[in-house]
Amino acid sequence: MKIVVDYDLCESNAICMQIAPEVFEVRDDDFLYVLNENPGDELREKMEESVQRCPKQAISIED
């Protein structure tokens, strides 16, 4: 799976980082960084939750 973030929509509110800090990080510059664009299937549930809970729907999963 590949994690895709639409940075034009992203507000860097860090909800995804709270769900999956091993994949998402909001740094001191207030921008979201994807630490692992291709997380393993063991993280699929967290990735799906991140997609669902993103208030701007800026995150998507490509298989």
Side-chain angles (χ1 to χ4, degrees), residues 11-12 14-16 22 34 39 42-43 49 54 56-57 62:
E11 292 182 330
S12 300
I15 291 173
C16 57
E22 61 272 49
V34 178
E42 71 278 1
L43 293 175
E49 183 179 351
C54 178
K56 291 298 187 175
Q57 298 299 292
E62 293 179 359

Side-chain angles (χ1 to χ4, degrees), residues 5-60:
V5 176
D6 183 338
Y7 290 99
D8 291 332
L9 294 176
C10 179
E11 292 182 330
S12 300
N13 55 41
I15 291 173
C16 57
M17 187 174 85
Q18 293 170 5
I19 297 166
E22 61 272 49
V23 176
F24 302 104
E25 181 178 56
V26 176
R27 298 187 182 157
D28 291 338
D29 61 6
D30 286 331
F31 287 103
L32 174 69
Y33 293 85
V34 178
L35 305 176
N36 181 0
E37 287 187 345
N38 300 100
D41 280 336
E42 71 278 1
L43 293 175
R44 181 169 290 276
E45 192 173 309
K46 285 184 174 184
M47 296 305 95
E48 290 174 353
E49 183 179 351
S50 297
V51 168
Q52 291 171 355
R53 292 188 53 201
C54 178
K56 291 298 187 175
Q57 298 299 292
I59 304 169
S60 60

